[in-house]
Amino acid sequence: MFDADVAADRVTAFLDDQLEKTGADAYVVGVSGGLDSALAIALAVRAVGADDVVGVLLPDDPSIEENVADARELCSDLGVEWREASIAPLVEAARETYPADFDKLTVGNLRARVRMCLLYAEANERGGLVVGPSNKSEYQLGYFTKFGDGAADVRPFADIYKTELYELARHTGLDEKFVEKAPSAELWEGQTDEGELGASYETIDAILKALLEEGRSVAETAAATATPVGEVERFAAMHRESQHKRELPPYPDVPR
């Protein structure tokens, strides 16, 4: 049973401990105006104080202005220093310079990796650590860009499912507008997480908990969650096939 009070304490203690243990000077958080990044920066401030947290806003053409405005307002309310820059010129320069016709998914991944570069540039300047706000649902499905939004120094929510983040957000007093938004990485116009994944997070989390936490088979999970077997197998395959995203790059042992 998920306990939001315990989770809040664990996350804040973890963030406090990691900053001290590594000797870093600050946390750098990319703030999109969505739930996960809003909760990440709020808990980082709770853990180490506003002076040791930097917000970075990196919108592009698909970004919804309301989300950008919410990100600005949140940073101001939390009292953190924040920077904002459109990544559109960088993404466009890459598309114009490289001799290939990128499809929609490739451009979306490019946007995520451009953001990663700038977050780490900020971290370099600050002697800081990049906070990755990906939740357990995304992490276990590989629903993130490798070396893009999947690149981080700490992942405070990697063991917290998306539906549990809603509980955690309400418990910590985060503005309800962040909870009510349709989850989206805004990698292209009209993109939403649940639309792309083809199921609600309530369904996805129930499937993942049955498969990963309870060790049920695909057939058992389908019966327990009242989900078609083919749908369960699709998510089980996403988990299996994205294992490389959750590991360091492999290398061969060389005998000596």
Side-chain angles (χ1 to χ4, degrees):
M1 179 69 70
F2 180 73
D3 187 319
D5 189 47
V6 170
D9 288 344
R10 285 288 178 88
V11 169
T12 52
F14 167 81
L15 289 170
D16 183 37
D17 179 65
Q18 289 297 307
L19 201 67
E20 182 178 355
K21 182 182 295 182
T22 60
D25 295 325
Y27 278 125
V28 175
V29 186
V31 189
S32 67
L35 171 64
D36 296 19
S37 65
L39 187 55
I41 196 168
L43 289 179
V45 169
R46 178 180 293 193
V48 302
D51 290 345
D52 293 331
V53 178
V54 181
V56 181
L57 285 62
L58 299 171
D60 193 2
D61 292 337
S63 300
I64 299 171
E65 177 54 35
E66 179 186 352
N67 289 340
V68 180
D70 287 344
R72 295 186 194 115
E73 183 179 12
L74 177 63
C75 289
S76 295
D77 290 345
L78 291 171
V80 303
E81 181 183 352
W82 54 278
R83 296 175 183 267
E84 179 179 346
S86 171
I87 64 168
L90 297 175
V91 173
E92 192 57 35
R95 296 179 68 181
E96 290 177 353
T97 303
Y98 193 76
D101 186 15
F102 295 146
D103 64 17
K104 180 173 68 173
L105 178 60
T106 301
V107 173
N109 285 330
L110 176 61
R111 289 187 175 107
R113 290 176 177 131
V114 167
R115 290 186 174 115
M116 177 274 294
C117 290
L118 294 177
L119 288 172
Y120 271 96
E122 184 69 31
N124 286 159
E125 291 294 308
R126 302 282 179 158
L129 300 176
V130 174
V131 178
S134 294
N135 57 69
K136 189 169 186 174
S137 310
E138 296 168 335
Y139 190 63
Q140 292 299 332
L141 291 177
Y143 188 62
F144 55 86
T145 299
K146 193 173 185 178
F147 305 125
D149 54 324
D153 297 306
V154 293
R155 293 189 177 96
F157 305 144
D159 197 33
I160 303 176
Y161 290 102
K162 181 70 174 188
T163 50
E164 295 170 342
L165 277 188
Y166 297 138
E167 295 182 51
L168 183 57
R170 291 189 169 108
H171 175 79
T172 57
L174 192 68
D175 194 306
E176 187 68 16
K177 65 185 177 184
F178 292 107
V179 178
E180 293 175 351
K181 291 183 182 185
S184 171
E186 294 188 326
L187 295 181
W188 55 81
E189 187 175 356
Q191 184 263 344
T192 66
D193 293 3
E194 292 173 325
E196 192 177 1
L197 289 168
S200 69
Y201 272 115
E202 286 77 9
T203 297
I204 292 167
D205 287 358
I207 291 171
L208 290 176
K209 288 176 183 179
L211 290 171
L212 305 180
E213 314 290 338
E214 301 165 14
R216 295 178 186 260
S217 67
V218 167
E220 290 168 341
T221 296
T225 61
T227 306
V229 171
E231 187 79 341
V232 174
E233 176 53 43
R234 184 168 68 85
F235 287 114
M238 287 183 69
H239 172 70
R240 289 193 307 271
E241 293 167 6
S242 62
Q243 184 61 34
H244 68 98
K245 290 187 170 186
R246 296 183 290 274
E247 297 176 343
L248 293 173
Y251 61 89
D253 291 328
V254 179
R256 289 179 176 80

